[in-house]
Amino acid sequence: FCSAMLHIATNQKYNEGKTVDVTQAAAIQFKNMAEIHWRFKSEVHAKDIIQEGFRFIIITDEDKEYVRSNILQMILEVRHDTVRRQLTYAVECIARLDFPEKWPNLILEIQAYLNESDERKILTGLESLKSVCKRYEFEYGKNRNPLEEIVENIFPRLEELVSQIEENNTIEAFDIKWRIADLLYIVNQISICTRYKNNEGLSKLVTFFKYALN
C-alpha cells in the first residue's frame, strides 16, 4: 500500500483529466502512513501500544524496504512543491524509526546527491539531510554522537557549496543557501557541534550567518 501511494504521488499522469489533485492526495496519505502506522511491527505489537478501537495498518517489511530504497530518487523527480513537502516529512518520520539500523545507506545516498552539480539533486540531498538531522536535533550526550558524525562527514561539503554559489543570485542558489542556513541552525541550536567550537569553525559559522542576513 505504501509503495503504491508513493508511486501515485510522484507520477503526474494520475492527475490527467481529473478535477482533484490525485498526486497530492496520495502524498498526504503516504505521509500519514509514515507518521502513524510505520512504527507498528505486527498486530500484537500495535495492540500493545495503541488505544482499543484504533484502526491500525501493518506495513510489510517488503513495502518498507521498497520505500527506503526509492523515496529519495522519487522525491527528486517531483515538481509539485506540496507533494515534495509531504514526502520529505515522511522521510523524517521514517528516519526517526529506521535510521541507522534499518536504513544504513541513507547518509551515503544523501552524500551522493550533495556531490552532484545539478541544483535539484543538491536540494533533494539538503531536504533529506534535514530529515536526518532533525532525528537528533534535541539529543544530548552520547545520543548526539551520530549528529556529530554527520556534521564532521557532510558539512564540509555544505561549506564548499556556500563558497561556490556565494555570488550566484538565482532562485535555486538562494534556496540552497537558505536550506544550508536552516541545517546549521538545527545542528547547533541546542549545543554547538564540535566542528564549530574552535575559533576557525566558529568564525565560519558566524561569517555564514552574517552573509545570510545581508
Side-chain angles (χ1 to χ4, degrees):
F1 183 77
C2 260
S3 53
M5 289 299 100
L6 180 59
H7 175 71
I8 294 170
T10 56
N11 198 325
Q12 194 62 32
K13 75 176 184 180
Y14 290 103
N15 277 346
E16 293 175 4
K18 303 294 191 303
T19 57
V20 296
D21 194 327
V22 175
T23 58
Q24 183 173 329
I28 292 170
Q29 182 65 40
F30 175 79
K31 182 267 295 181
N32 290 341
M33 291 289 291
E35 184 176 26
I36 299 169
H37 301 280
W38 196 274
R39 70 193 69 192
F40 303 135
K41 301 173 184 177
S42 65
E43 288 191 20
V44 173
H45 176 246
K47 289 176 180 177
D48 282 344
I49 64 174
I50 62 174
Q51 292 182 343
E52 186 176 351
F54 180 82
R55 297 180 63 184
F56 58 83
I57 298 171
I58 303 300
I59 305 169
T60 66
D61 290 340
E62 292 77 13
D63 214 9
K64 288 180 177 180
E65 182 55 37
Y66 176 88
V67 170
R68 289 189 294 258
S69 299
N70 293 280
I71 189 167
L72 264 62
Q73 177 61 37
M74 296 175 91
I75 289 174
L76 173 65
E77 296 168 1
V78 171
R79 296 296 187 268
H80 193 312
D81 286 342
T82 302
V83 170
R84 282 182 71 91
R85 285 195 296 272
Q86 298 292 333
L87 299 185
T88 301
Y89 180 68
V91 171
E92 180 183 335
C93 295
I94 296 168
R96 287 184 185 278
L97 295 167
D98 289 2
F99 179 81
E101 290 81 6
K102 295 180 180 179
W103 207 351
N105 64 330
L106 176 57
I107 290 298
L108 291 176
E109 193 173 355
I110 289 171
Q111 284 181 305
Y113 281 111
L114 293 175
N115 286 328
E116 294 282 351
S117 57
D118 180 81
E119 289 178 338
R120 287 195 61 82
K121 289 183 178 180
I122 292 171
L123 285 169
T124 299
L126 291 172
E127 290 169 349
S128 304
L129 180 59
K130 178 180 177 179
S131 297
V132 178
C133 288
K134 287 186 74 66
R135 158 81 172 77
Y136 303 100
E137 185 176 9
F138 300 109
E139 297 287 0
Y140 288 95
K142 66 180 181 180
N143 292 333
R144 192 174 171 81
N145 288 344
L147 182 63
E148 291 279 0
E149 186 175 343
I150 289 169
V151 170
E152 285 297 327
N153 290 332
I154 295 184
F155 277 57
R157 172 56 180 159
L158 304 192
E159 294 161 10
E160 184 180 276
L161 280 171
V162 171
S163 298
Q164 290 174 353
I165 63 174
E166 187 172 353
E167 302 302 325
N168 190 335
N169 293 318
T170 65
I171 293 175
E172 291 79 10
F174 176 81
D175 202 4
I176 289 171
K177 286 179 267 192
W178 181 85
R179 292 179 188 279
I180 291 174
D182 192 30
L183 277 162
L184 285 167
Y185 173 75
I186 287 170
V187 302
N188 290 294
Q189 66 162 319
I190 294 298
S191 175
I192 301 294
C193 288
T194 303
R195 177 173 182 79
Y196 299 109
K197 280 184 177 177
N198 59 44
N199 289 336
E200 181 183 356
L202 189 59
S203 176
K204 287 181 180 179
L205 195 61
V206 171
T207 299
F208 176 76
F209 278 113
K210 280 184 176 179
Y211 164 73
L213 287 170
N214 289 333

